[in-house]
Amino acid sequence: MATKTKTKSAFITGITGQDGSYLAEFLLKKNYKIYGLLRRKSDPTLGNFDHSRKHLNLLYGDLADQACINMYLAKYQPDEIYNLGAQSHVHESWHQPLATADQTGMGALRIFEAVRNLCPQSRVYQASTSELFGETREVPQDEETQIRPANPYAAAKALAHFDAQIYRRSFGLFISTGILFNHESPRRSPDFVSRKISLAVAALKLGLHKNIPLGESGQSVLNHQGKLELGNLDAKRDWGYAADYVEAMWMMLRHTEPDDFVVATGKVHTVRQLCQAAFSATGLKWQDHVVINPQWVRPTETGPLVGDYKKIRSTLGWKPKTTFKQLVEMMVTADLKRLRQLR
Ligand code: NAP
Ligand code: GDP
């Protein structure tokens, strides 16, 4: 007689975000029972993830509230916890340094404390970031590269990263960190340069003059002159596809022991190359539409950020599946489709 395997449960913070939505879909296919922490908002929709709502157990709460985290983790005793919730935008972290420290840094520590005291058998994934390497002098970066945060977001993530390692060593908890390099998708917030560009390209291609979509920091994605305003075009990043990366998170919690893993593509591109790829996907010339606005140039720039993912490839067998060109074209195509409905 076939033995029935127990349904696994996962508690996901940041379920409304880009990665949380892809991870939830990935785990649903694996038959997980999912508990998702959701901040109460005046608009209760989940955006382009709303279709999955009926399969999820959504729980109102906040990473700022230790009592609510304790209550849920004590009650549900999840097999796995994915801490993806954060104020995740570098530029915004200079405007909201205290909230960023609290949600992105202390929020993780609140999860670790709850696990230590209430569900020490749970396996935890902590969302670390290539921003930890900040003002790095090493290229590419791997798990041994020195941590040199260069902005309030990275400093908050460094607190969470070090505490993950400390709680693992001190209390024997299974806490793994994924040091993920930039990863994008059609669900990426327009606060990030990839989506800001793909939305602008779609708006320009469709000649949208009214109903211009919102871009970074809630501003219109095209300015009064119909131009896309960007900051540092020479910034270098290692851009991958979010849906590829959530599988790496899950694989880390399948491993025999907790550890730290870089997740990246190993390929570097500039913001200028990103513009070129996105505009040329629709036959437009980026130089005709992009202007520089110092508002988007950061007080300190990080990088060049490019990851060496050989550890996760050799230990867990993970590797990226989507190329930079495929990713950019996927984002532009998705925004064209979305904006056609606005015309
Ligand atoms: P995202 O789209 O900005 O999503 C962030 C999520 O965190 C949202 O669901 C947000 O909820 C939630 N959140 C924010 N503050 C919260 C709080 N106080 N309590 C509970 N939830 C809160 O970010 P992402 O791109 O999916 O990234 C997921 C994680 O990976 C983040 O921790 C990010 O810093 C990290 N990371 C991302 C990248 C990347 O390139 N995407 C790279 C490295 C690391 P609301 O919907 O209510 O705002
Ligand atoms: P980050 O790497 O997490 O900060 O992701 P972003 O997508 O916000 O930024 C990636 C890079 O693009 C950074 O080096 C930014 O300085 C650069 N960049 C250039 N222009 C812009 C812009 O207009 N908005 C944003 N968000 N980033 C920009």
Side-chain angles (χ1 to χ4, degrees):
M1 202 171 73
T3 48
K4 212 175 160 199
T5 49
K6 179 181 166 281
T7 305
K8 278 196 180 282
S9 60
F11 180 84
I12 303 176
T13 73
I15 196 156
T16 56
Q18 170 187 258
D19 292 7
S21 68
Y22 282 112
L23 178 67
E25 285 173 356
F26 176 83
L27 295 179
L28 281 173
K29 286 195 195 117
K30 300 209 169 288
N31 211 24
Y32 273 61
K33 181 165 184 135
I34 294 176
Y35 300 99
L37 192 75
L38 180 75
R39 288 199 284 184
R40 199 205 76 81
K41 281 184 279 194
S42 50
D43 171 6
T45 61
L46 298 186
N48 49 27
F49 177 49
D50 225 24
H51 59 275
S52 294
R53 175 189 285 274
K54 58 183 176 298
H55 305 293
L56 308 170
N57 301 287
L58 294 172
L59 309 164
Y60 268 163
D62 200 298
L63 280 167
D65 190 332
Q66 183 79 63
C68 112
I69 293 169
N70 288 358
M71 176 177 69
Y72 292 138
L73 294 188
K75 182 170 177 190
Y76 296 112
Q77 298 285 319
D79 297 303
E80 297 170 14
I81 298 169
Y82 295 87
N83 184 38
L84 310 180
Q87 192 301 97
S88 68
H89 192 217
V90 169
H91 190 258
E92 201 51 43
S93 75
W94 273 287
H95 302 141
Q96 302 181 36
L98 287 109
T100 303
D102 191 39
Q103 294 162 16
T104 307
M106 292 289 287
L109 186 52
R110 291 185 188 104
I111 296 276
F112 305 155
E113 265 299 299
V115 171
R116 171 190 170 197
N117 291 304
L118 300 166
C119 56
Q121 81 297 339
S122 298
R123 293 188 167 203
V124 182
Y125 171 84
Q126 169 56 26
S128 288
T129 166
S130 52
E131 282 290 331
L132 293 176
F133 303 128
E135 291 170 302
T136 185
R137 297 202 189 97
E138 288 172 49
V139 181
Q141 299 90 36
D142 66 16
E143 295 78 5
E144 304 306 320
T145 303
Q146 194 190 353
I147 290 178
R148 293 167 58 103
N151 53 62
Y153 165 75
K157 281 289 186 187
L159 172 78
H161 186 77
F162 287 134
D163 275 334
Q165 295 175 330
I166 288 165
Y167 273 55
R168 183 198 299 161
R169 282 198 298 269
S170 310
F171 306 120
L173 299 177
F174 194 113
I175 306 180
S176 285
T177 72
I179 307 172
L180 270 55
F181 283 63
N182 295 49
H183 46 281
E184 322 294 310
S185 74
R187 295 184 193 173
R188 186 64 143 152
S189 153
D191 287 332
F192 295 87
V193 75
S194 62
R195 185 77 199 292
K196 186 173 172 181
I197 293 172
S198 68
L199 268 173
V201 168
L204 286 160
K205 183 69 186 174
L206 298 176
L208 282 192
H209 299 298
K210 45 182 186 181
N211 293 335
I212 292 177
L214 293 183
E216 190 163 4
S217 301
Q219 298 184 21
S220 166
V221 80
L222 299 175
N223 70 12
H224 287 309
Q225 287 78 41
K227 302 282 185 196
L228 167 63
E229 296 182 350
L230 294 176
N232 178 9
L233 298 185
D234 295 315
K236 290 186 174 138
R237 288 288 184 276
D238 176 335
W239 279 289
Y241 177 37
D244 290 350
Y245 285 27
V246 297
E247 184 170 14
M249 299 174 188
W250 174 78
M251 289 169 111
M252 284 177 219
L253 299 196
R254 310 262 75 60
H255 194 39
T256 45
E257 59 205 42
D259 208 339
D260 309 307
F261 293 97
V262 159
V263 178
T265 71
K267 304 239 164 39
V268 69
H269 292 92
T270 60
V271 173
R272 186 175 287 101
Q273 288 169 321
L274 180 57
C275 283
Q276 157 122 48
F279 279 85
S280 65
T282 61
L284 297 174
K285 217 171 145 199
W286 72 270
Q287 293 92 332
D288 296 338
H289 304 281
V290 172
V291 293
I292 303 303
N293 182 340
Q295 178 188 355
W296 304 117
V297 177
R298 296 178 177 182
T300 49
E301 186 57 88
T302 46
L305 295 178
V306 50
D308 177 346
Y309 67 92
K310 69 174 170 310
K311 178 173 169 183
I312 191 165
R313 188 182 54 201
S314 61
T315 316
L316 304 180
W318 181 88
K319 59 177 194 287
K321 296 177 186 143
T322 311
T323 65
F324 174 75
K325 188 166 181 286
Q326 287 167 335
L327 171 66
V328 175
E329 288 177 1
M330 176 202 313
M331 292 178 71
V332 171
T333 304
D335 277 329
L336 279 168
K337 189 172 167 202
R338 207 174 269 144
L339 296 195
R340 274 197 187 101
Q341 289 154 10
L342 281 182
R343 276 206 295 188

